[in-house]
Amino acid sequence: MPSHPKLSAKNVTGDFDKFTNFMRRLVSVPHSEIKAKLDAEKRSKQKKRASHASHEKD
């Protein structure tokens, strides 16, 4: 019975480059832009929660 070599745990060529490029793009986003989007998301969630809570009281 022939033995099959196990796949190595090493990255396939190009995976590390893809990861590095992704991380560079991610880190290049200014903090203020991320903060603004998070704040907008919080506000929209609070509005949804507030409108949902007001319907429950009826």
Side-chain angles (χ1 to χ4, degrees):
M1 179 157 68
S3 63
H4 297 285
K6 292 185 178 182
L7 297 175
S8 68
K10 294 180 181 179
N11 286 338
V12 177
T13 305
D15 281 352
F16 186 74
D17 291 333
K18 289 178 186 177
F19 174 76
T20 303
N21 290 334
F22 170 75
M23 291 305 294
R24 283 189 180 140
R25 288 194 322 252
L26 180 66
V27 174
S28 69
V29 177
H31 175 73
S32 58
E33 185 178 328
I34 295 170
K35 179 91 169 116
K37 288 184 181 183
L38 285 173
D39 289 343
E41 185 178 343
K42 281 184 184 179
R43 284 192 299 273
S44 70
K45 285 184 179 181
Q46 286 176 347
K47 286 181 185 178
K48 287 180 184 177
R49 180 181 286 167
S51 67
H52 182 68
S54 65
H55 292 297
E56 288 179 357
K57 291 179 184 178
D58 293 337

Short mmCIF file of all heavy atoms in Angstrom, two decimals:
data_model
loop_
_atom_site.label_atom_id
_atom_site.label_comp_id
_atom_site.label_asym_id
_atom_site.label_seq_id
_atom_site.Cartn_x
_atom_site.Cartn_y
_atom_site.Cartn_z
N MET A 1 0.84 -1.17 0.00
CA MET A 1 0.00 0.00 0.00
C MET A 1 0.89 1.24 0.00
O MET A 1 1.71 1.40 0.90
CB MET A 1 -0.88 -0.04 1.25
CG MET A 1 -1.75 1.16 1.29
SD MET A 1 -3.16 1.04 2.22
CE MET A 1 -3.49 0.92 3.63
N PRO A 2 0.78 2.08 -1.03
CA PRO A 2 1.65 3.26 -1.09
C PRO A 2 1.24 4.30 -0.06
O PRO A 2 0.06 4.50 0.22
CB PRO A 2 1.45 3.79 -2.51
CG PRO A 2 0.11 3.30 -2.90
CD PRO A 2 -0.08 1.99 -2.18
N SER A 3 2.24 4.89 0.55
CA SER A 3 1.94 5.93 1.53
C SER A 3 1.85 7.28 0.82
O SER A 3 2.63 7.59 -0.07
CB SER A 3 3.00 5.97 2.62
OG SER A 3 4.24 6.33 2.05
N HIS A 4 0.87 8.07 1.21
CA HIS A 4 0.69 9.39 0.62
C HIS A 4 1.32 10.42 1.54
O HIS A 4 1.09 10.40 2.74
CB HIS A 4 -0.80 9.70 0.44
CG HIS A 4 -1.49 8.77 -0.51
ND1 HIS A 4 -1.32 8.85 -1.86
CD2 HIS A 4 -2.34 7.73 -0.29
CE1 HIS A 4 -2.04 7.91 -2.43
NE2 HIS A 4 -2.66 7.20 -1.50
N PRO A 5 2.10 11.31 0.98
CA PRO A 5 2.71 12.33 1.84
C PRO A 5 1.63 13.27 2.40
O PRO A 5 0.66 13.59 1.72
CB PRO A 5 3.66 13.08 0.91
CG PRO A 5 3.14 12.81 -0.46
CD PRO A 5 2.47 11.47 -0.40
N LYS A 6 1.79 13.63 3.65
CA LYS A 6 0.83 14.54 4.26
C LYS A 6 1.08 15.95 3.73
O LYS A 6 2.21 16.31 3.38
CB LYS A 6 1.00 14.55 5.78
CG LYS A 6 0.59 13.25 6.42
CD LYS A 6 0.67 13.34 7.92
CE LYS A 6 0.21 12.05 8.55
NZ LYS A 6 0.23 12.12 10.01
N LEU A 7 0.01 16.73 3.67
CA LEU A 7 0.16 18.11 3.24
C LEU A 7 0.90 18.88 4.32
O LEU A 7 0.64 18.71 5.51
CB LEU A 7 -1.22 18.74 2.99
CG LEU A 7 -2.04 18.10 1.88
CD1 LEU A 7 -3.42 18.74 1.82
CD2 LEU A 7 -1.34 18.26 0.55
N SER A 8 1.80 19.72 3.89
CA SER A 8 2.56 20.47 4.87
C SER A 8 1.72 21.61 5.42
O SER A 8 0.76 22.06 4.81
CB SER A 8 3.84 21.03 4.23
OG SER A 8 3.51 22.03 3.30
N ALA A 9 2.10 22.10 6.58
CA ALA A 9 1.38 23.20 7.22
C ALA A 9 1.88 24.54 6.70
O ALA A 9 1.40 25.58 7.13
CB ALA A 9 1.57 23.12 8.72
N LYS A 10 2.81 24.50 5.78
CA LYS A 10 3.35 25.75 5.26
C LYS A 10 2.33 26.44 4.37
O LYS A 10 1.46 25.80 3.78
CB LYS A 10 4.62 25.49 4.44
CG LYS A 10 5.77 24.96 5.26
CD LYS A 10 6.97 24.73 4.39
CE LYS A 10 8.12 24.18 5.22
NZ LYS A 10 9.30 23.92 4.40
N ASN A 11 2.45 27.76 4.29
CA ASN A 11 1.55 28.54 3.43
C ASN A 11 1.79 28.20 1.97
O ASN A 11 2.91 27.99 1.54
CB ASN A 11 1.79 30.04 3.60
CG ASN A 11 1.24 30.55 4.90
OD1 ASN A 11 0.36 29.95 5.48
ND2 ASN A 11 1.75 31.66 5.35
N VAL A 12 0.74 28.18 1.24
CA VAL A 12 0.85 28.04 -0.20
C VAL A 12 1.42 29.35 -0.71
O VAL A 12 1.15 30.42 -0.18
CB VAL A 12 -0.55 27.77 -0.82
CG1 VAL A 12 -0.46 27.69 -2.33
CG2 VAL A 12 -1.14 26.51 -0.23
N THR A 13 2.23 29.29 -1.73
CA THR A 13 2.85 30.49 -2.26
C THR A 13 1.80 31.55 -2.56
O THR A 13 0.82 31.28 -3.24
CB THR A 13 3.63 30.18 -3.54
OG1 THR A 13 4.56 29.14 -3.26
CG2 THR A 13 4.37 31.40 -4.05
N GLY A 14 1.99 32.75 -2.00
CA GLY A 14 1.07 33.84 -2.27
C GLY A 14 0.12 34.12 -1.13
O GLY A 14 -0.41 35.22 -1.03
N ASP A 15 -0.13 33.15 -0.26
CA ASP A 15 -1.05 33.38 0.86
C ASP A 15 -0.54 34.47 1.79
O ASP A 15 -1.29 35.33 2.23
CB ASP A 15 -1.28 32.10 1.66
CG ASP A 15 -2.25 31.16 0.99
OD1 ASP A 15 -2.86 31.56 -0.02
OD2 ASP A 15 -2.40 30.03 1.49
N PHE A 16 0.74 34.41 2.11
CA PHE A 16 1.30 35.41 3.02
C PHE A 16 1.27 36.79 2.38
O PHE A 16 0.98 37.78 3.06
CB PHE A 16 2.73 35.04 3.42
CG PHE A 16 3.29 35.97 4.46
CD1 PHE A 16 2.86 35.90 5.77
CD2 PHE A 16 4.23 36.93 4.12
CE1 PHE A 16 3.35 36.76 6.73
CE2 PHE A 16 4.73 37.79 5.07
CZ PHE A 16 4.30 37.71 6.38
N ASP A 17 1.52 36.86 1.08
CA ASP A 17 1.47 38.15 0.39
C ASP A 17 0.06 38.72 0.40
O ASP A 17 -0.13 39.92 0.62
CB ASP A 17 1.94 38.01 -1.06
CG ASP A 17 3.44 37.72 -1.15
OD1 ASP A 17 4.18 38.12 -0.22
OD2 ASP A 17 3.84 37.10 -2.14
N LYS A 18 -0.95 37.88 0.21
CA LYS A 18 -2.34 38.33 0.26
C LYS A 18 -2.67 38.86 1.66
O LYS A 18 -3.30 39.91 1.81
CB LYS A 18 -3.30 37.19 -0.08
CG LYS A 18 -3.28 36.79 -1.52
CD LYS A 18 -4.23 35.63 -1.74
CE LYS A 18 -4.13 35.09 -3.15
NZ LYS A 18 -5.00 33.91 -3.35
N PHE A 19 -2.24 38.13 2.67
CA PHE A 19 -2.49 38.54 4.05
C PHE A 19 -1.79 39.86 4.35
O PHE A 19 -2.39 40.76 4.94
CB PHE A 19 -2.00 37.45 5.01
CG PHE A 19 -2.08 37.86 6.45
CD1 PHE A 19 -3.30 37.88 7.11
CD2 PHE A 19 -0.94 38.21 7.14
CE1 PHE A 19 -3.38 38.25 8.43
CE2 PHE A 19 -1.01 38.59 8.47
CZ PHE A 19 -2.23 38.60 9.13
N THR A 20 -0.55 39.98 3.93
CA THR A 20 0.22 41.21 4.18
C THR A 20 -0.44 42.40 3.50
O THR A 20 -0.58 43.47 4.12
CB THR A 20 1.67 41.04 3.67
OG1 THR A 20 2.25 39.90 4.30
CG2 THR A 20 2.49 42.27 3.97
N ASN A 21 -0.87 42.23 2.27
CA ASN A 21 -1.54 43.33 1.57
C ASN A 21 -2.84 43.71 2.25
O ASN A 21 -3.16 44.90 2.38
CB ASN A 21 -1.80 42.96 0.11
CG ASN A 21 -0.53 42.89 -0.70
OD1 ASN A 21 0.46 43.55 -0.37
ND2 ASN A 21 -0.53 42.10 -1.75
N PHE A 22 -3.60 42.72 2.71
CA PHE A 22 -4.85 42.99 3.41
C PHE A 22 -4.57 43.78 4.69
O PHE A 22 -5.25 44.77 4.98
CB PHE A 22 -5.57 41.69 3.74
CG PHE A 22 -6.73 41.88 4.66
CD1 PHE A 22 -7.91 42.42 4.19
CD2 PHE A 22 -6.64 41.53 6.00
CE1 PHE A 22 -8.99 42.61 5.04
CE2 PHE A 22 -7.70 41.73 6.85
CZ PHE A 22 -8.89 42.27 6.37
N MET A 23 -3.58 43.36 5.44
CA MET A 23 -3.26 44.04 6.70
C MET A 23 -2.78 45.47 6.45
O MET A 23 -3.11 46.38 7.20
CB MET A 23 -2.20 43.25 7.48
CG MET A 23 -2.72 41.94 8.03
SD MET A 23 -4.20 42.10 9.05
CE MET A 23 -3.57 42.99 10.44
N ARG A 24 -2.02 45.67 5.40
CA ARG A 24 -1.57 47.03 5.07
C ARG A 24 -2.76 47.94 4.77
O ARG A 24 -2.81 49.08 5.20
CB ARG A 24 -0.61 47.01 3.88
CG ARG A 24 0.76 46.55 4.25
CD ARG A 24 1.73 46.74 3.11
NE ARG A 24 3.05 46.26 3.52
CZ ARG A 24 3.87 45.60 2.75
NH1 ARG A 24 3.54 45.32 1.49
NH2 ARG A 24 5.04 45.20 3.19
N ARG A 25 -3.73 47.42 4.00
CA ARG A 25 -4.92 48.22 3.69
C ARG A 25 -5.73 48.49 4.94
O ARG A 25 -6.26 49.57 5.14
CB ARG A 25 -5.79 47.50 2.65
CG ARG A 25 -5.19 47.50 1.27
CD ARG A 25 -6.22 47.09 0.21
NE ARG A 25 -7.12 46.04 0.67
CZ ARG A 25 -7.11 44.79 0.25
NH1 ARG A 25 -6.23 44.40 -0.65
NH2 ARG A 25 -7.97 43.91 0.71
N LEU A 26 -5.84 47.49 5.81
CA LEU A 26 -6.61 47.63 7.04
C LEU A 26 -5.99 48.66 7.96
O LEU A 26 -6.68 49.53 8.49
CB LEU A 26 -6.69 46.27 7.75
CG LEU A 26 -7.46 46.24 9.06
CD1 LEU A 26 -8.94 46.52 8.80
CD2 LEU A 26 -7.30 44.89 9.73
N VAL A 27 -4.69 48.61 8.12
CA VAL A 27 -4.01 49.51 9.04
C VAL A 27 -3.96 50.93 8.46
O VAL A 27 -3.87 51.90 9.21
CB VAL A 27 -2.59 48.98 9.34
CG1 VAL A 27 -1.78 49.95 10.15
CG2 VAL A 27 -2.70 47.65 10.07
N SER A 28 -4.07 51.08 7.16
CA SER A 28 -3.97 52.40 6.56
C SER A 28 -5.24 53.23 6.73
O SER A 28 -5.24 54.43 6.47
CB SER A 28 -3.63 52.29 5.08
OG SER A 28 -4.72 51.75 4.37
N VAL A 29 -6.35 52.61 7.19
CA VAL A 29 -7.60 53.35 7.40
C VAL A 29 -7.43 54.22 8.64
O VAL A 29 -7.04 53.74 9.70
CB VAL A 29 -8.78 52.38 7.58
CG1 VAL A 29 -10.06 53.13 7.88
CG2 VAL A 29 -8.94 51.51 6.36
N PRO A 30 -7.71 55.53 8.53
CA PRO A 30 -7.55 56.42 9.69
C PRO A 30 -8.52 56.06 10.81
O PRO A 30 -9.65 55.64 10.57
CB PRO A 30 -7.88 57.81 9.13
CG PRO A 30 -8.01 57.67 7.67
CD PRO A 30 -8.13 56.23 7.33
N HIS A 31 -8.06 56.26 12.04
CA HIS A 31 -8.87 55.96 13.22
C HIS A 31 -10.17 56.77 13.20
O HIS A 31 -11.23 56.25 13.57
CB HIS A 31 -8.08 56.27 14.49
CG HIS A 31 -8.88 56.11 15.73
ND1 HIS A 31 -9.23 54.88 16.23
CD2 HIS A 31 -9.42 57.03 16.57
CE1 HIS A 31 -9.95 55.05 17.33
NE2 HIS A 31 -10.09 56.34 17.55
N SER A 32 -10.09 58.00 12.78
CA SER A 32 -11.29 58.86 12.78
C SER A 32 -12.38 58.30 11.87
O SER A 32 -13.57 58.37 12.18
CB SER A 32 -10.92 60.27 12.34
OG SER A 32 -10.34 60.25 11.05
N GLU A 33 -11.99 57.71 10.75
CA GLU A 33 -12.97 57.12 9.83
C GLU A 33 -13.65 55.91 10.46
O GLU A 33 -14.87 55.74 10.38
CB GLU A 33 -12.27 56.72 8.53
CG GLU A 33 -13.20 56.21 7.46
CD GLU A 33 -12.46 55.88 6.17
OE1 GLU A 33 -11.44 56.53 5.87
OE2 GLU A 33 -12.91 54.95 5.48
N ILE A 34 -12.86 55.07 11.12
CA ILE A 34 -13.40 53.89 11.79
C ILE A 34 -14.34 54.31 12.91
O ILE A 34 -15.44 53.80 13.07
CB ILE A 34 -12.27 52.99 12.33
CG1 ILE A 34 -11.45 52.43 11.17
CG2 ILE A 34 -12.82 51.87 13.20
CD1 ILE A 34 -10.18 51.73 11.58
N LYS A 35 -13.90 55.29 13.71
CA LYS A 35 -14.70 55.79 14.83
C LYS A 35 -16.03 56.36 14.34
O LYS A 35 -17.08 56.10 14.94
CB LYS A 35 -13.90 56.87 15.57
CG LYS A 35 -14.61 57.50 16.73
CD LYS A 35 -14.31 56.77 18.00
CE LYS A 35 -14.81 57.58 19.18
NZ LYS A 35 -15.86 56.90 19.88
N ALA A 36 -16.02 57.11 13.25
CA ALA A 36 -17.24 57.71 12.72
C ALA A 36 -18.23 56.63 12.29
O ALA A 36 -19.43 56.72 12.57
CB ALA A 36 -16.91 58.62 11.55
N LYS A 37 -17.74 55.58 11.64
CA LYS A 37 -18.62 54.50 11.20
C LYS A 37 -19.18 53.73 12.39
O LYS A 37 -20.36 53.36 12.41
CB LYS A 37 -17.88 53.56 10.25
CG LYS A 37 -17.63 54.18 8.89
CD LYS A 37 -16.99 53.21 7.94
CE LYS A 37 -16.75 53.88 6.59
NZ LYS A 37 -16.18 52.97 5.62
N LEU A 38 -18.36 53.49 13.40
CA LEU A 38 -18.85 52.79 14.59
C LEU A 38 -19.91 53.61 15.31
O LEU A 38 -20.92 53.08 15.77
CB LEU A 38 -17.69 52.48 15.54
CG LEU A 38 -16.77 51.34 15.12
CD1 LEU A 38 -15.58 51.26 16.05
CD2 LEU A 38 -17.52 50.03 15.10
N ASP A 39 -19.69 54.92 15.43
CA ASP A 39 -20.65 55.79 16.09
C ASP A 39 -21.97 55.82 15.32
O ASP A 39 -23.05 55.78 15.92
CB ASP A 39 -20.10 57.21 16.24
CG ASP A 39 -18.98 57.29 17.28
OD1 ASP A 39 -18.85 56.34 18.10
OD2 ASP A 39 -18.24 58.29 17.27
N ALA A 40 -21.90 55.87 14.00
CA ALA A 40 -23.12 55.87 13.19
C ALA A 40 -23.87 54.55 13.37
O ALA A 40 -25.10 54.54 13.47
CB ALA A 40 -22.76 56.08 11.72
N GLU A 41 -23.14 53.45 13.44
CA GLU A 41 -23.77 52.15 13.63
C GLU A 41 -24.44 52.07 15.00
O GLU A 41 -25.56 51.57 15.13
CB GLU A 41 -22.73 51.04 13.50
CG GLU A 41 -23.29 49.65 13.57
CD GLU A 41 -22.25 48.57 13.40
OE1 GLU A 41 -21.15 48.86 12.91
OE2 GLU A 41 -22.55 47.41 13.76
N LYS A 42 -23.78 52.60 16.03
CA LYS A 42 -24.37 52.62 17.37
C LYS A 42 -25.66 53.43 17.39
O LYS A 42 -26.66 53.02 17.99
CB LYS A 42 -23.39 53.23 18.38
CG LYS A 42 -22.31 52.29 18.83
CD LYS A 42 -21.46 52.96 19.88
CE LYS A 42 -20.30 52.12 20.29
NZ LYS A 42 -19.46 52.79 21.29
N ARG A 43 -25.64 54.59 16.73
CA ARG A 43 -26.83 55.44 16.70
C ARG A 43 -27.99 54.72 16.01
O ARG A 43 -29.13 54.77 16.48
CB ARG A 43 -26.54 56.77 16.00
CG ARG A 43 -25.76 57.74 16.87
CD ARG A 43 -25.75 59.13 16.26
NE ARG A 43 -25.12 59.17 14.94
CZ ARG A 43 -23.82 59.34 14.71
NH1 ARG A 43 -23.00 59.49 15.72
NH2 ARG A 43 -23.35 59.37 13.48
N SER A 44 -27.71 54.05 14.90
CA SER A 44 -28.78 53.36 14.19
C SER A 44 -29.34 52.20 15.02
O SER A 44 -30.54 51.95 15.02
CB SER A 44 -28.31 52.86 12.82
OG SER A 44 -27.40 51.80 12.97
N LYS A 45 -28.48 51.51 15.74
CA LYS A 45 -28.95 50.42 16.60
C LYS A 45 -29.78 50.95 17.75
O LYS A 45 -30.79 50.35 18.13
CB LYS A 45 -27.77 49.60 17.13
CG LYS A 45 -27.16 48.70 16.10
CD LYS A 45 -26.06 47.85 16.68
CE LYS A 45 -25.48 46.92 15.63
NZ LYS A 45 -24.43 46.06 16.18
N GLN A 46 -29.37 52.09 18.31
CA GLN A 46 -30.14 52.67 19.42
C GLN A 46 -31.51 53.14 18.93
O GLN A 46 -32.50 52.99 19.63
CB GLN A 46 -29.37 53.84 20.04
CG GLN A 46 -28.21 53.40 20.89
CD GLN A 46 -27.39 54.55 21.43
OE1 GLN A 46 -27.55 55.68 20.99
NE2 GLN A 46 -26.52 54.27 22.38
N LYS A 47 -31.59 53.68 17.74
CA LYS A 47 -32.87 54.12 17.19
C LYS A 47 -33.79 52.92 16.98
O LYS A 47 -34.97 52.98 17.30
CB LYS A 47 -32.67 54.85 15.85
CG LYS A 47 -32.10 56.23 16.00
CD LYS A 47 -31.94 56.90 14.65
CE LYS A 47 -31.27 58.25 14.78
NZ LYS A 47 -31.06 58.87 13.47
N LYS A 48 -33.24 51.83 16.46
CA LYS A 48 -34.04 50.62 16.25
C LYS A 48 -34.52 50.08 17.58
O LYS A 48 -35.67 49.68 17.73
CB LYS A 48 -33.22 49.55 15.53
CG LYS A 48 -33.00 49.85 14.07
CD LYS A 48 -32.19 48.76 13.41
CE LYS A 48 -31.86 49.10 11.97
NZ LYS A 48 -31.03 48.09 11.34
N ARG A 49 -33.64 50.05 18.57
CA ARG A 49 -34.01 49.54 19.89
C ARG A 49 -35.07 50.43 20.53
O ARG A 49 -36.03 49.94 21.11
CB ARG A 49 -32.78 49.47 20.79
CG ARG A 49 -33.12 48.93 22.19
CD ARG A 49 -31.93 48.89 23.08
NE ARG A 49 -31.07 47.79 22.68
CZ ARG A 49 -29.84 47.63 23.10
NH1 ARG A 49 -29.30 48.51 23.90
NH2 ARG A 49 -29.11 46.60 22.71
N ALA A 50 -34.92 51.75 20.42
CA ALA A 50 -35.88 52.67 21.01
C ALA A 50 -37.24 52.53 20.36
O ALA A 50 -38.27 52.54 21.03
CB ALA A 50 -35.36 54.10 20.88
N SER A 51 -37.29 52.43 19.04
CA SER A 51 -38.57 52.30 18.36
C SER A 51 -39.21 50.95 18.68
O SER A 51 -40.42 50.84 18.84
CB SER A 51 -38.41 52.47 16.85
OG SER A 51 -37.67 51.41 16.31
N HIS A 52 -38.42 49.92 18.84
CA HIS A 52 -38.93 48.60 19.18
C HIS A 52 -39.50 48.61 20.60
O HIS A 52 -40.56 48.05 20.85
CB HIS A 52 -37.82 47.54 19.05
CG HIS A 52 -38.27 46.14 19.33
ND1 HIS A 52 -39.14 45.48 18.51
CD2 HIS A 52 -37.99 45.30 20.34
CE1 HIS A 52 -39.37 44.29 19.00
NE2 HIS A 52 -38.69 44.15 20.12
N ALA A 53 -38.81 49.27 21.52
CA ALA A 53 -39.25 49.33 22.91
C ALA A 53 -40.54 50.12 23.03
O ALA A 53 -41.42 49.77 23.83
CB ALA A 53 -38.16 49.96 23.77
N SER A 54 -40.72 51.15 22.24
CA SER A 54 -41.94 51.94 22.33
C SER A 54 -43.15 51.14 21.84
O SER A 54 -44.25 51.33 22.32
CB SER A 54 -41.80 53.24 21.52
OG SER A 54 -41.68 52.95 20.15
N HIS A 55 -42.98 50.22 20.91
CA HIS A 55 -44.07 49.39 20.43
C HIS A 55 -44.49 48.35 21.48
O HIS A 55 -45.63 47.96 21.53
CB HIS A 55 -43.70 48.67 19.13
CG HIS A 55 -43.55 49.59 17.97
ND1 HIS A 55 -44.59 50.35 17.48
CD2 HIS A 55 -42.48 49.90 17.18
CE1 HIS A 55 -44.17 51.07 16.47
NE2 HIS A 55 -42.89 50.82 16.27
N GLU A 56 -43.53 47.91 22.29
CA GLU A 56 -43.83 46.91 23.31
C GLU A 56 -44.71 47.47 24.41
O GLU A 56 -45.47 46.77 25.03
CB GLU A 56 -42.54 46.35 23.91
CG GLU A 56 -41.78 45.45 22.97
CD GLU A 56 -40.50 44.94 23.59
OE1 GLU A 56 -40.18 45.31 24.71
OE2 GLU A 56 -39.82 44.15 22.90
N LYS A 57 -44.61 48.77 24.69
CA LYS A 57 -45.37 49.39 25.77
C LYS A 57 -46.84 49.51 25.43
O LYS A 57 -47.68 49.60 26.30
CB LYS A 57 -44.80 50.79 26.08
CG LYS A 57 -43.43 50.75 26.70
CD LYS A 57 -42.92 52.14 26.97
CE LYS A 57 -41.51 52.12 27.51
NZ LYS A 57 -40.99 53.45 27.72
N ASP A 58 -47.18 49.51 24.15
CA ASP A 58 -48.58 49.68 23.73
C ASP A 58 -49.44 48.53 24.12
O ASP A 58 -49.18 47.44 24.27
CB ASP A 58 -48.68 49.88 22.20
CG ASP A 58 -48.07 51.21 21.79
OD1 ASP A 58 -47.98 52.10 22.65
OD2 ASP A 58 -47.69 51.32 20.60
#
